[in-house]
Amino acid sequence: MVKKRIIPCLDIKDGRTVKGVNFIGIRDAGDPIALAKKYVAEGADELVFLDITATVEKRKTLIGLVEKISEEINIPFTVGGGINSIEDVSLIIKAGADKVSINSAAVKRPQLISEIAREFGNQSVVVAIDTKYETNDWFVYVNGGKVPTQLKSVEWAKKAEELGAGELLLTSMNNDGTKNGFAIDITNLVSISVNIPVIASGGAGSKEHFKNVFLQTKASGGLAASIFHFGEIPIPELKKYLKNQNIPIR
Amino acid sequence: MIAIIKYNAGNVKSVENAVRRLGFDCIVTDDKEKIKAAKSVIFPGVGEASSAMEYLKRYELDDLIKSLKQPVLGICLGQQLMCNYSEEGNTNCMAIFDSIVKKFPPLDLVPHMGWNNLIKTKGELFTGVNADDNVYFVHSYYAEIIADTSAVCDYILPFAAAMQKNNFYATQFHPEKSASVGEIILKNFLNL
């Protein structure tokens, strides 16, 4: 049976790991390579690196970092943040990343999803969706959660799948940083609307939150950052707990 | 020296890094003489079957691979291209393994992405690997089980997670991305 994935996310700024709370207010959480290796040793199933600086000059730093990560770790990893073109993707994949995550650029020009899928395969394209509940629906936000769009999240998820996305990374902005749990409703809606893996993100604060998202939605993985970085939930303990709840875990 | 075959399917970097981490020297090359002279050969691959096969044919790498006498390991698309035929792009492949590659029926998420356990492992590639050990898969097409299947995985249906025939080895999963279990498998191959 395919296992539910536990995915630490490392937000990278100027080569260091940081974590924003509600996308603002940034704390330093350390050296990304050291953290990545620690997570691999602890049994993380996959890693996501999100470059939140993404200025032109810092992109070079990112490529160097991706190369080092690829040299040091033996599990799959995704790189995202500020990816705008097939050239960006090509550099990151050639540096050793398994997948790229695209967000704003895909909303602006959905064909980019198909272009990456054609060049590097569907499995290499993760479409990241930052979603926020407003009045009566979940809408897509871009530019690191700063800019709202008219796109409804479920519709956008289906479109992304149709264009060739291999996976969706769904972050609820309402939940992100709250530690009150994943957004079960939208994660459920999106995960039953598509036939590709959906990774739930935003709001994990306890082991129960992972249990809930795996039992109450079709999410294939749960992603979190600060609770892992600051040692609040050790990965081995989380995985042991989920196994005891009869959730398929590596 | 280990040769990793360079062609138009990605993921070569990860394989190269994994081999080096295990302490083996390797080159990524499409030079036929270097490939022939290598102690063993890895044929990796993430990509699309018909364009990969077309490329191999254009550079006559398909005939070369088939003629190799040292241990050869096909990974992921590499395994699929070693079969008779793939539904992906309606592609005639290298026919090292007498198996057909088909698209997963959409009865569960496709691609099959993530960690899954092996069942019924056999052969020297799996020495030190337990039946319940998990390895990392990413694929939308699978090879049908044949007599030369050396490991089975069950996702939507049972399929060939690994195959072996004479000096040819193949895995659908990515040993280079399968943490410590993957390292055991890769090391078993490199030590052949």
Side-chain angles (χ1 to χ4, degrees), chain B residues 87-132:
Chain B
E87 283 184 359
E88 189 177 27
N90 191 20
T91 308
N92 286 315
C93 303
M94 284 187 266
I96 292 168
F97 295 111
D98 188 18
S99 178
I100 302 286
V101 177
K102 294 182 168 174
K103 179 141 195 178
F104 276 121
L107 302 174
D108 201 340
L109 307 182
V110 178
H112 172 215
M113 187 187 287
W115 297 82
N116 209 335
N117 56 296
L118 298 170
I119 33 183
K120 295 183 192 166
T121 57
K122 66 174 187 198
E124 55 259 66
L125 222 49
F126 296 99
T127 306
V129 175
N130 299 314
D132 284 342

Side-chain angles (χ1 to χ4, degrees), chain A residues 131-143:
Chain A
T131 184
K132 192 174 179 183
Y133 188 78
E134 281 173 344
T135 55
N136 60 353
D137 214 329
W138 290 86
F139 287 90
V140 176
Y141 272 64
V142 293
N143 294 12

Side-chain angles (χ1 to χ4, degrees), chain A residues 32-77:
Chain A
I33 305 276
L35 252 184
K37 287 177 82 168
K38 176 175 170 267
Y39 290 145
V40 174
E42 288 181 348
D45 296 306
E46 211 167 309
L47 298 172
V48 171
F49 298 85
L50 286 182
D51 185 26
I52 60 172
T53 34
T55 59
V56 175
E57 129 201 352
K58 298 281 164 51
R59 300 300 294 181
K60 286 182 194 143
T61 318
L62 178 71
I63 298 301
L65 181 62
V66 174
E67 280 171 355
K68 267 192 219 145
I69 296 162
S70 169
E71 281 165 22
E72 300 271 351
I73 72 166
N74 55 11
I75 61 169
F77 69 99

Side-chain angles (χ1 to χ4, degrees), chain A residues 94-160:
Chain A
K94 281 178 184 152
D98 299 279
K99 317 177 200 178
V100 291
S101 151
I102 52 171
N103 190 331
S104 311
V107 173
K108 254 175 250 159
R109 201 171 66 80
Q111 264 326 103
L112 181 60
I113 300 170
S114 308
E115 290 169 14
I116 302 169
R118 205 176 312 126
E119 184 83 22
F120 300 101
N122 301 64
Q123 85 295 331
S124 70
V125 198
V126 181
V127 172
I129 303 176
D130 290 338
T131 184
K132 192 174 179 183
Y133 188 78
E134 281 173 344
T135 55
N136 60 353
D137 214 329
W138 290 86
F139 287 90
V140 176
Y141 272 64
V142 293
N143 294 12
K146 288 196 271 294
V147 180
T149 74
Q150 296 300 308
L151 278 176
K152 291 183 177 177
S153 299
V154 171
E155 297 312 310
W156 175 231
K158 287 186 192 167
K159 177 92 187 284

Side-chain angles (χ1 to χ4, degrees), chain B residues 68-79:
Chain B
L68 292 173
K69 299 286 177 250
Q70 67 271 56
V72 178
L73 174 65
I75 298 174
C76 194
L77 181 64
Q79 166 174 292

Side-chain angles (χ1 to χ4, degrees), chain A residues 1-3 5 45-46 70-76 94 96 98-99 123 166-167 195-197 220 250, chain B residues 11 13-14 17 21 46 106 108-117 134 136 138 155 176-179 183:
Chain A
M1 188 185 279
V2 68
K3 307 303 183 292
R5 286 174 271 159
D45 296 306
E46 211 167 309
S70 169
E71 281 165 22
E72 300 271 351
I73 72 166
N74 55 11
I75 61 169
K94 281 178 184 152
D98 299 279
K99 317 177 200 178
Q123 85 295 331
E167 187 163 81
N195 201 43
I196 52 176
S220 299
R250 176 171 73 105
Chain B
N11 195 37
K13 193 85 197 164
S14 308
N17 285 334
R21 270 197 302 270
V46 171
D108 201 340
L109 307 182
V110 178
H112 172 215
M113 187 187 287
W115 297 82
N116 209 335
N117 56 296
N134 290 286
Y136 192 83
V138 185
Y155 184 76
E176 77 281 10
K177 288 286 165 185
S178 296
E183 283 187 352

